[in-house]
Amino acid sequence: MLSNHIHNGIETARLAWSQIPNSEESQFVDDGVGLLKKNDGSAVESLDYEVIENFAYREEQAHRRRKLYVSYLLVVKWFFALLIGICTGLAAVFINISVENFAGWKYSVTFNIIQKSYVAGFIVYILINLVLVYSSVYIVTQFSPAAAGSGIPEIKGYLNGVDTHGILLFRTLIGKIFGSIGSVGGGLALGKEGPLVHTGACIASLLGQGGSTKYHLNSRWFNVFKSDRDRRDLVTCGCAAGVAAAFRAPVGGVLFALEEVTSWWRSQLMWRVFFTSAIVAVVVRTAMGWCKSGKCGHFGSGGFIIWDVSELRSELSPFLLSVQSFLPFLFLTGFIFSGQEDYSFAELFPMAIIGVIGGLLGALFNQLTLYITTWRRNRLHKKGNRVKIIEACLVSVLTSVISFGLPLLRKCSPCPESDPASSIECPRPPGMYGNYVNFFCSKENEYNDLATIFFNTQDDAIRNLFSAKTINEYSSQSLLTFLVMFYALAVVTFGTAVPSGQFVPGIMIGSTYGRLVGMFVVKYYRKLNIEEGTYALLGAASFLGGSMRMTVSLCVIMVEITNNLKLLPLIMLVLLISKAVGDAFNDGIYDEQARLMGIPLLESKPKYEMRNMTAKEACGSGRVVSLPRVVKVSDVVSILQSNKHNGFPVIDHTRSGERLVIGLVLRSHLLVILQSKVDFQHSPLPSDPRSAGRSIRHDSGEFAKPVSSKGICLDDIHLTSEDLEMYIDLAPFLNPSPYIVPEDMSLTKVYNLFRQLGLRHLFVVPRPSRVVGLITRKDLLIEDEENMNTLELQSASVRIEHQIKRLTTRNADVERPLLSDLLA
């Protein structure tokens, strides 16, 4: 009888194992966390941020110089910024409402069952979390592999000029949204803030390309910005919108995009990013006000902000209440938080200790996650999607056992004397979660301090740790136990095949040891005005600074979510200390993960070794593959087949036989020309692109690579034998003014030029023997149209005299050839 049961159990397990999909059934293969490779082996590719000023572009710009069209483009850009803010805010509202409702139902059911049987409640709690996590990992592995992880390293790489295939697709957006709901609602030690940044970037990219053509959700009216340069600006707006939606911190979102993810910035983009973040804040605030009436189920004050500032003091005037409801991005509530109002000079030392602890624990967290992620990439995840699903489910069971079992081992504490001015109730009624949770307590006026942290959503747990006027709510043993266990869970959970962010786990870890330090300060200084919640906030900031190495943006985010400007100097102090300590050991977590994924990021500072290298040395010994101006079609096909280069110098010969580089042509442009065939010619002689018989047959949008695909492939182009014998004049399609540096330029200067301009190719040429002119700052100060027209009326002699006078102050070696050219 027993053998039959065992045999049936083995068969059931075998059947369940066979139902779990394997990697061979998936279209994509995950080579490491977030690094996607299609079956053809393609991985990452550089983006074309540089404007290709070929004949097609110049002819198109000649028609776009009208003020009406310029105004139209300006209106469209701001309209897209509005749409990105609204859509990202709605996506954040949907994710938060779903997570809060799943968590609310889970805790309500569990609390109701444990009133009768703790064992049954324990099983139900594990099963609910397991189902939610399984749904998340199944969506990621089978539908959207690029949705795994936080997505911030990939987006940082995209804005640095690297395109990782699949990170901005429509199914990646769907996988991020629903995968985040399952993983966060399932109680894993991760957050939804990182995925929200990726979600905002996906929304911005999809709006920029007019939707998704694969799923027939596209519109030509939105397909305005086709170049990588315009899409980069939109994705930057989406990143800031994601942070603004995650923390309801619009200014912090702008600074996060500026400090952490972007490599290129300009003032016009700043305004649009700020506008997008403000729209997100309004949408989120409106949704929270609508949900306060009970229309969102279990969703209450959690989800968007860590310190609840909705319960304002009675001193606040109705006018300020209405203004804050519609303009939450203004710092009008700096006096609302009822935490520690002042601090003494003696408290700076323990606060500095918090910064040191944050730097050490943050650097250790980065190193441990790097080791485990490397092991997953090289060993575990190579076995297929089946193993990824099993791994995530095992982590879910482990997290549920720890979060449910550890509070059972702690003794309950008596409730403190109730404060008539406080709305906190101790203990919470059965079935409720928040502060002072009655979990496995024999008496009604007792609570379990460890269950108050574990048996809550992460937002509510953070709010409990940050709460003011709750001194002695937690014991040091409970906080230390939670710190060790949650730190270990966060390290193990990081890198699983689910959407996961590191903001909330970092805040949880930091606020725990921060509150421990606060308990020591309260006991040692014996001052009544010291709040443990203030030290919990500083601990959260220190761990995030020690792990992510952000300073300005993180400081503003922490101030915005607390609405207390008095804490600004303290947050700045712990952030500077934690970042300095962490930098002594390793890089930030996003840089480490990007390097592990194989994303070739160009950091803001060049390596020290580059000072002793030149541009010619960096080129290596590789042979440069060039094309003549008029090239045979068969030669183009042969060159494209024989190498993987994405840019080719174009060579032309002068009448004296000298070889001159006349520009750069991209591989993508050559593929478009080969596919269209309209530019083929029988003659091997060059033609004048401005002649009446030869008009441009392409616009610049045809050469833009689609963001949702890899573009045209050479295998998809069908050419006949007659086509192969024809010729192409590359002059109208090349970039006639690529960036050029001399061969002996320092590699440090080359690095800065390459990164700051967002280049993809840079020509290295011999030292030029002749100078044709010099440009100074004064030459770049172009006057308005009226003054320019006046200058055009000047005689040639006046202009020559002006040039001669200016040249006399220049270097003598440069003066002679310039004067001879000018007077010739």
Side-chain angles (χ1 to χ4, degrees), residues 72 76 79-80 207 210 218-225:
Y72 167 75
V76 170
F79 178 68
F80 270 67
L207 287 175
N218 61 324
S219 174
R220 293 183 179 179
W221 293 99
F222 291 96
N223 195 3
V224 179
F225 305 107

Side-chain angles (χ1 to χ4, degrees), residues 18-129:
S18 63
Q19 295 298 320
I20 297 176
N22 203 353
S23 60
E24 291 82 11
E25 305 169 13
S26 178
Q27 181 184 0
F28 291 86
V29 180
D30 189 0
D31 183 17
V33 182
L35 178 57
L36 302 181
K37 287 189 176 182
K38 290 185 68 177
N39 293 332
D40 59 2
S42 60
V44 298
E45 183 180 350
S46 297
L47 292 166
D48 297 307
Y49 287 159
E50 183 183 357
V51 177
I52 308 299
E53 296 180 343
N54 53 21
F55 185 67
Y57 173 81
R58 292 178 178 178
E59 189 176 73
E60 185 176 299
Q61 290 299 311
H63 296 288
R64 291 186 175 184
R65 289 177 182 175
R66 295 178 299 229
K67 293 184 177 181
L68 182 61
Y69 190 81
V70 173
S71 303
Y72 167 75
L73 286 181
L74 183 63
V75 171
V76 170
K77 288 180 179 180
W78 284 93
F79 178 68
F80 270 67
L82 174 66
L83 285 182
I84 293 171
I86 294 175
C87 294
T88 306
L90 293 177
V93 170
F94 175 75
I95 292 174
N96 280 277
I97 290 178
S98 302
V99 169
E100 291 286 321
N101 277 281
F102 277 121
W105 295 330
K106 175 179 65 177
Y107 290 127
S108 297
V109 170
T110 304
F111 271 120
N112 291 332
I113 294 178
I114 63 177
Q115 302 299 322
K116 303 177 182 178
S117 172
Y118 276 93
V119 176
F122 177 61
I123 295 174
V124 170
Y125 181 75
I126 291 179
L127 290 178
I128 294 176
N129 285 336

Side-chain angles (χ1 to χ4, degrees), residues 630-637 640 669-685 687 693-695 697-698 714 717-730 732-733:
V630 181
V631 60
K632 200 173 184 179
V633 174
S634 59
D635 294 337
V636 175
V637 174
L640 295 180
H669 290 195
L670 292 175
L671 292 174
V672 172
I673 297 170
L674 291 177
Q675 187 184 52
S676 64
K677 301 181 183 180
V678 297
D679 299 288
F680 292 178
Q681 64 184 30
H682 295 280
S683 174
L685 299 177
S687 58
R694 178 180 175 90
S695 60
R697 301 180 179 92
H698 303 276
L714 185 61
I717 300 175
H718 302 285
L719 298 173
T720 63
S721 58
E722 296 179 357
D723 295 333
L724 295 176
E725 296 298 324
M726 301 188 73
Y727 296 87
I728 304 174
D729 186 3
L730 300 178
F733 312 103

